[in-house]
Amino acid sequence: MVLTVTLNPAIDKLLILKRFSIHKLHRLESSEKSIISAGGKGVNIAINLHRFNDEVIATGFASGHSGHLLCDELRRVGVTTSFIFTEGLTRTNISILDQENETLTEINDYGHHVSLPDQEFFLENYERLLYRVKTVVLAGSLPIGVSEDIYRKMILMARERKKKVIIHTSPQHLDPIIDSSPQIIVPDMRSYHQMLGNPCDGIEQFLHVGKEVLVKNKESELIIFIHRIENVVAISRSACYILRPENLTIRNMLGYADSYVAGFLHAGKNSLSMLDTLIYASAAGLTNVESLHKELVDPEHIEKNLNRIKVEEIK
Amino acid sequence: MRLVRDYMHKDITSVNEDSTLGQVIRVMKLHRLGAVPIVDKQGHCIGYITARDVLKIAIPDYIKSIYNTSFMANMDQVTNHLKGMLNEKAVRFLDGEYVFLNPTDTMSYAADLLNRQKRTILPVIEDQQQVGWITKIDIISMALDPEEENNDKHD
């Protein structure tokens, strides 16, 4: 059983348009689409994991009618929910996919304020949930009023109970808590190209920062920079790899990283070697970006894509 | 055979032994739940507190002794009485005789139990841990399921 934590979840509204232009009224045609779904990194990972028939509990903060919509949607697909409801309204994130120009415009709301008593209530609930699971995924941004320290507390609580922790968030939230040594670190580099005070973009810098993280944190096992699907860089204590998909045709990057993390968790559950796990995760990400949907629609297709992932080992 | 595990509402919201009555009421309101499990530190269910239990606590004994309370002009007696108890531990007011379902119980059994117990909602428990809920709506809405309708015809 996996526990996914999404402290700042969202309702995702995806508009798939033929063309998108500013200063223009768009009326959707029958060939265009408007899709509303439960979102936020941990929520997306939970939904993807359930596509693999893996058992998942999703937790985090939710509020108001959009919070109930979020939980209803998770349960509809089969995920167990244990969110803490607070005053306010769960945010809505809007993505506009322009098919003709192949552009994706994303507007993410900042979310609602979460009080300290609600954070304490959440941590009590989280502690109990740890007894039910083997792996914890901490993913995404933080709502207003919540500091990075909550991630540190959750990592330490999980590690104390011998649970595996995967954290997937931006360096802005990772840097302050990296010393709590989560086992697997997947930085979200979409908005920040710095980590631990170093510039961090491109293979050389990913390798440099990844090695520094492992030197400083004795319990961390693996750091994976997945931002550029063309060159996924994985740094472990025994080896460094670059994984590249062949003949990549991107249709929709939305949800790529969450599919990657879900693929990684699913492969790990099946006791694959570290390299095979990384290949499976890259194939899951590849399968996702070549489909229009933000979640994995056809997990069986991942197997067919495994041989399209080419691996380079860096000595 | 239609089983509880296939129809249950997979939500495991709970409060702990130290939670106050005020926290329980807040959880009921924000989570839109009519019943909340009280669990120990390992997540094992100790019992349930329902909105009906809270209402019982809310109404002072002297009012309960009066047969007809329709003359009461407002809710002050009830809310003031409850306000004075908001910081008390909810575990004090547990419904210790709360019945529950197993995921492998049939929906027919769930319907019968809900009816006999005069409940609108029943918890589903596995290994002493809450795994979901079954409500009366879950049971009656099965009649709208087209696949079940076809299955019934084959039966």
Side-chain angles (χ1 to χ4, degrees):
Chain A
M1 181 88 86
V2 175
L3 175 66
T4 68
V5 180
T6 320
L7 298 177
N8 200 15
I11 294 298
D12 282 342
K13 186 170 178 67
L14 170 62
L15 296 162
I16 302 174
L17 309 180
K18 278 185 192 162
R19 269 182 308 278
F20 171 63
S21 355
I22 58 165
H23 292 306
K24 193 192 155 200
L25 169 67
H26 296 74
R27 289 191 198 280
L28 262 62
E29 296 170 12
S30 56
S31 59
E32 296 177 314
K33 278 191 181 131
S34 167
I35 302 168
I36 291 180
S37 56
K41 287 200 155 295
V43 165
N44 295 339
I45 293 166
I47 292 171
N48 279 319
L49 277 171
H50 195 267
R51 290 281 158 98
F52 291 115
N53 290 323
D54 291 351
E55 284 193 278
V56 198
I57 299 173
T59 187
F61 296 110
S63 317
H65 60 83
S66 47
H68 284 281
L69 175 64
L70 176 98
C71 291
D72 283 346
E73 185 61 15
L74 278 165
R75 288 190 292 266
R76 189 186 62 76
V77 301
V79 173
T80 297
T81 54
S82 185
F83 276 80
I84 300 300
F85 270 75
T86 65
E87 306 289 346
L89 200 61
T90 291
R91 67 196 175 126
T92 299
N93 290 341
I94 299 168
S95 306
I96 303 165
L97 185 67
D98 177 333
Q99 290 181 289
E100 194 174 281
N101 296 309
E102 296 183 349
T103 61
L104 177 67
T105 309
E106 294 177 275
I107 304 165
N108 285 6
D109 199 351
Y110 44 73
H112 60 281
H113 181 270
V114 177
S115 69
L116 281 175
D118 281 334
Q119 292 178 43
E120 282 168 23
F121 188 41
F122 166 82
L123 286 172
E124 283 170 19
N125 189 54
Y126 170 80
E127 188 171 19
R128 291 196 293 272
L129 291 173
L130 286 175
Y131 286 94
R132 299 190 185 216
V133 301
K134 286 186 175 170
T135 306
V136 179
V137 184
L138 310 175
S141 59
L142 297 170
I144 304 165
V146 180
S147 82
E148 288 82 13
D149 202 47
I150 198 165
Y151 272 151
R152 179 197 306 281
K153 284 178 184 161
M154 282 192 276
I155 292 165
L156 296 176
M157 283 159 81
R159 284 189 38 213
E160 195 179 315
R161 286 161 189 77
K162 312 283 182 217
K163 311 293 177 183
K164 180 161 265 190
V165 181
I166 297 185
I167 187 162
H168 175 40
T169 188
S170 79
Q172 182 196 15
H173 302 313
L174 267 177
D175 282 2
I177 56 95
I178 200 105
D179 58 336
S180 55
S181 287
Q183 289 95 330
I184 317 283
I185 302 164
V186 185
D188 174 6
M189 306 299 294
R190 284 177 302 170
S191 306
Y192 294 88
H193 302 298
Q194 286 221 327
M195 195 166 165
L196 300 176
N198 300 297
C200 193
D201 197 7
I203 295 169
E204 290 309 314
Q205 289 175 356
F206 289 154
L207 287 168
H208 172 75
V209 172
K211 284 173 186 166
E212 191 179 326
V213 168
L214 294 184
V215 168
K216 285 186 177 168
N217 302 287
K218 299 295 175 204
E219 304 292 330
S220 294
E221 296 165 7
L222 181 63
I223 175 162
I224 320 168
F225 290 95
I226 65 173
H227 178 46
R228 304 198 190 284
I229 185 172
E230 301 86 347
N231 294 296
V232 168
V233 180
I235 304 107
S236 78
R237 294 195 181 275
S238 54
C240 300
Y241 301 105
I242 302 172
L243 297 100
R244 300 182 173 98
E246 266 186 345
N247 307 320
L248 174 67
T249 313
I250 295 174
R251 290 188 76 199
N252 180 9
M253 281 300 286
L254 197 67
Y256 150 68
D258 307 329
S259 301
Y260 182 100
V261 175
F264 184 90
L265 285 160
H266 179 68
K269 185 188 143 205
N270 292 338
S271 307
L272 297 183
S273 69
M274 187 181 70
L275 183 55
D276 285 342
T277 300
L278 289 168
I279 291 170
Y280 191 89
S282 273
L286 171 65
T287 305
N288 175 266
V289 301
E290 292 190 339
S291 130
L292 265 181
H293 297 267
K294 74 163 187 176
E295 73 280 359
L296 285 163
V297 177
D298 181 14
E300 285 172 15
H301 203 73
I302 296 170
E303 300 284 340
K304 293 177 192 156
N305 280 333
L306 287 175
N307 58 8
R308 288 174 60 196
I309 306 298
K310 302 300 167 197
V311 181
E312 180 189 349
E313 186 170 356
I314 307 288
K315 297 290 176 191
Chain B
M1 188 134 8
R2 287 173 284 188
L3 300 178
V4 162
R5 68 172 174 225
D6 299 322
Y7 289 88
M8 67 185 180
H9 184 80
K10 289 169 76 175
D11 185 79
I12 54 171
T13 299
S14 60
V15 296
N16 67 27
E17 296 156 287
D18 295 325
S19 298
T20 63
L21 200 55
Q23 286 171 315
V24 167
I25 296 171
R26 191 166 182 265
V27 167
M28 285 177 174
K29 183 185 166 208
L30 294 176
H31 287 249
R32 300 178 187 165
L33 284 171
V36 181
I38 299 183
V39 299
D40 66 15
K41 284 204 182 322
Q42 281 85 44
H44 297 138
C45 283
I46 302 167
Y48 287 80
I49 185 160
T50 65
R52 194 171 69 164
D53 299 329
V54 179
L55 200 57
K56 266 190 215 166
I57 305 160
I59 299 174
D61 287 342
Y62 71 88
I63 291 182
K64 281 181 201 160
S65 65
I66 304 168
Y67 178 69
N68 188 339
T69 54
S70 59
F71 64 89
M72 285 166 65
N74 55 43
M75 285 283 287
D76 284 358
Q77 287 100 323
V78 173
T79 48
N80 285 342
H81 185 65
L82 194 53
K83 268 186 184 167
M85 304 175 81
L86 292 181
N87 290 325
E88 296 210 26
K89 285 190 180 180
V91 74
R92 265 192 62 199
F93 310 104
L94 263 191
D95 182 348
E97 293 175 14
Y98 213 88
V99 291
F100 60 86
L101 294 163
N102 289 300
T104 50
D105 286 336
T106 64
M107 285 300 271
S108 303
Y109 175 73
D112 184 50
L113 200 60
L114 274 163
N115 191 40
R116 280 174 200 273
Q117 296 288 325
K118 296 186 172 58
R119 305 281 183 185
T120 53
I121 185 166
L122 283 177
V124 185
I125 305 277
E126 190 172 36
D127 299 330
Q128 296 180 63
Q129 290 180 323
Q130 165 106 10
V131 290
W133 297 98
I134 286 285
T135 67
K136 280 186 176 167
I137 307 282
D138 295 326
I139 288 169
I140 59 175
S141 60
M142 286 194 310
L144 304 175
D145 188 341
E147 283 175 40
E148 294 300 332
E149 194 176 82
N150 291 338
N151 289 343
D152 287 348
K153 276 178 191 164
H154 292 302
D155 291 342

